[in-house]
Amino acid sequence: MASVPQDHLEPVLLDHLRSFGTARVAMGIEVVGLDGRSDDVQVTLRDVETGETRIVHARYLIAADGARSTIRDALGIAMRGPGRLSQAIGTEFRAPLWDLLGGPRYCIYAVTHPDAAGVFVPAGRGDRWVYGVEHDLAQEPAPRLTKEQSARLIRLGIGLTDLEPRVDRIGTFTFAAQLADRWREGAAFLVGDAAHQITPRGGTGMNTAIQSAYDLGWKLAWVLRGWAGPQLLDTYEAERRPVAAHNVARSADPHGGARLAAHELPADLGGRIPHVWLPSRANAVSTLDLLGPGLTLFTTDPSASWQRAASSVPGPPLVVRNLDAITARGMGIPHGGALLARPDGAPAGWWPSRTEPDAALRHAIRALPTPSEAVDRSAEGASAR
Ligand SMILES: Cc1cc2nc3c(=O)[nH]c(=O)nc-3n(C[C@H](O)[C@H](O)[C@H](O)COP(=O)(O)OP(=O)(O)OC[C@H]3O[C@@H](n4cnc5c(N)ncnc54)[C@H](O)[C@@H]3O)c2cc1C
């Protein structure tokens, strides 16, 4: 587990996005209007500084515009569930707490002092922290605190009367546990907080958002590349909604943040292939790093019969990964057997031996959600093998 503050994570995500030759990142541009039809979405954009507007047309639109999604409203999609469960005050401050706490370090420190109950969360390098205090809206709204009042509460919570925290920011936010009625309208898809609002309890809001974005991303890529029919996109909400619903319900539970990992892992990882480090000591490479944009076939078969079958079966691009015996053992692949995985690591087939690899692969690929009838045999597909 890692405690990564938003202002550390966002530059990493932005750099990654900018690394794609086909992606253009435009800051200071907001969506102010939408006219969506199933085969052409028309979006009105406004430059926040100049006020200039322009219209762009898109084959698909992903609404990742957060809890107050303009796009969701324009599509007429309602949210269901409690919108005001409680309120919390988050105070960002600096104070030398690590020396005080010693090791081992944790991601969250809960304080039960009756006058300062809350959580201290490390928020980046050095001694930067967030102190969060929840207020039950049925009792009272969260008070507006001055920096000095916040510092006093922090001293009380930490238990050091002479601590001099430097309070940088105080913010108030409302806990909501809601799901959008539907996540798709024609060619527009909701993702992240636009589709679900999850309270910070359990820390699953962004994690759910990123996993859902990944799910939608690979499915859109398959459809746009002709590797699957457009019905594949219907599986986005079908597969991701139960996870979001679970995390929304968990986060509405006042004790939802304290659940056992063993109970929550099925929702988080959902049968994904295991993470196993490959034996090379030079680079830390996981079996998860071997997943590609198409299908990935993991095997230990020295006879190359899976390799031969993989190069002849119709379907999306299929990369074969030959594993050493111990890594394969860690993934539950017996000698001569194989495991077929989707880009998100969900298994699409598992075979304990090399019995008829060709028939086995054809059957597994046919059973995928709506593989394209018209198989793309472009250079892109062929070179991935
Ligand atoms: C105090 C707190 C602690 C949290 N802790 C955790 C945690 O530990 N772990 C975790 O997984 N999650 C956590 N979350 C939840 C997490 O922050 C959200 O789930 C996550 O940020 C959702 O990402 P998003 O991209 O969907 O929405 P957002 O992060 O809200 O991003 C939406 C973006 O869209 C932009 N936008 C909005 N409207 C428009 C428009 N009309 N045009 C153009 N752009 C627009 C916004 O400016 C914003 O940049 C926490 C939330 C809070 C409040």
Side-chain angles (χ1 to χ4, degrees):
M1 193 189 279
S3 181
V4 185
Q6 188 177 346
D7 60 343
H8 288 207
L9 179 66
E10 277 189 0
V12 175
L13 296 178
L14 263 178
D15 279 354
H16 184 63
L17 197 54
R18 287 184 171 125
S19 72
F20 294 103
T22 48
R24 210 180 112 231
V25 179
M27 306 299 265
I29 305 289
E30 64 175 349
V31 174
V32 290
L34 179 69
D35 182 7
R37 280 177 294 149
S38 60
D39 57 347
D40 174 36
V41 191
Q42 193 176 299
V43 182
T44 307
L45 302 178
R46 192 176 76 95
D47 187 309
V48 176
E49 240 175 55
T50 65
E52 268 173 42
T53 60
R54 66 192 163 96
I55 289 174
V56 294
H57 294 262
R59 177 73 192 84
Y60 291 106
L61 172 72
I62 301 175
D65 52 350
R68 287 191 280 273
S69 171
T70 304
I71 299 173
R72 186 187 64 223
D73 287 350
L75 294 169
I77 300 176
M79 296 295 278
R80 303 274 165 208
R84 288 175 62 79
L85 277 171
S86 59
Q87 255 182 347
I89 303 176
T91 304
E92 194 183 294
F93 70 97
R94 289 180 185 273
L97 300 188
W98 283 126
D99 285 348
L100 184 73
L101 291 162
R105 293 183 168 193
Y106 296 95
C107 278
I108 193 160
Y109 294 85
V111 169
T112 53
H113 188 293
D115 297 323
V119 291
F120 287 89
V121 182
R125 293 197 188 89
D127 259 315
R128 192 171 76 156
W129 295 80
V130 168
Y131 175 45
V133 178
E134 206 180 324
H135 292 264
D136 184 351
L137 279 171
Q139 313 273 337
E140 38 142 31
R144 290 178 72 86
L145 296 181
T146 63
K147 286 188 174 181
E148 188 37 52
Q149 286 169 322
S150 278
R152 205 177 318 125
L153 274 175
I154 290 166
R155 274 193 287 274
L156 204 56
I158 298 293
L160 281 184
T161 48
D162 58 350
L163 188 78
E164 286 296 340
R166 191 189 88 192
V167 174
D168 290 329
R169 226 153 40 116
I170 306 170
T172 307
F173 53 93
T174 305
F175 279 28
Q178 298 187 309
L179 267 180
D181 269 353
R182 56 188 189 285
W183 293 8
R184 178 180 188 178
E185 185 67 44
F189 296 86
L190 306 186
V191 79
D193 280 16
H196 43 71
Q197 280 197 64
I198 297 175
T199 82
R201 294 177 194 137
T204 62
M206 185 201 62
N207 286 290
T208 310
I210 288 179
Q211 285 188 350
S212 295
Y214 192 84
D215 186 270
L216 180 59
W218 77 259
K219 287 171 180 171
L220 275 170
W222 275 35
V223 171
L224 290 170
R225 288 169 167 172
W227 299 351
Q231 303 91 322
L232 178 64
L233 300 174
D234 291 334
T235 67
Y236 159 59
E237 182 172 351
E239 292 194 345
R240 293 300 306 163
R241 193 177 180 92
V243 178
H246 174 90
N247 289 336
V248 166
R250 174 191 181 185
S251 81
D253 171 1
H255 306 292
R259 292 195 189 167
L260 293 175
H263 291 166
E264 297 307 311
L265 277 176
D268 284 346
L269 301 182
R272 189 194 67 187
I273 61 162
H275 146 71
V276 183
W277 290 118
L278 300 187
S280 156
R281 283 166 208 277
N283 301 306
V285 178
S286 160
T287 45
L288 299 176
D289 298 324
L290 301 181
L291 293 164
L295 293 168
T296 306
L297 185 73
F298 296 93
T299 178
T300 58
D301 183 13
S303 76
S305 56
W306 285 105
Q307 176 84 52
R308 276 194 300 278
S311 57
S312 65
V313 292
L318 202 168
V319 173
V320 179
R321 301 289 192 181
N322 279 306
L323 302 175
D324 65 283
I326 298 301
T327 306
R329 184 180 160 82
M331 293 184 73
I333 306 171
H335 182 70
L339 188 155
L340 184 68
R342 310 188 319 185
D344 57 356
W350 176 84
W351 302 275
S353 69
R354 74 173 75 99
T355 322
E356 298 188 47
D358 192 81
L361 281 179
R362 280 174 194 271
H363 180 75
I365 290 170
R366 265 201 307 273
L368 281 168
T370 69
S372 175
E373 297 300 325
V375 175
D376 179 18
R377 283 285 171 228
S378 65
E380 186 181 17
S383 66
R385 288 174 189 272

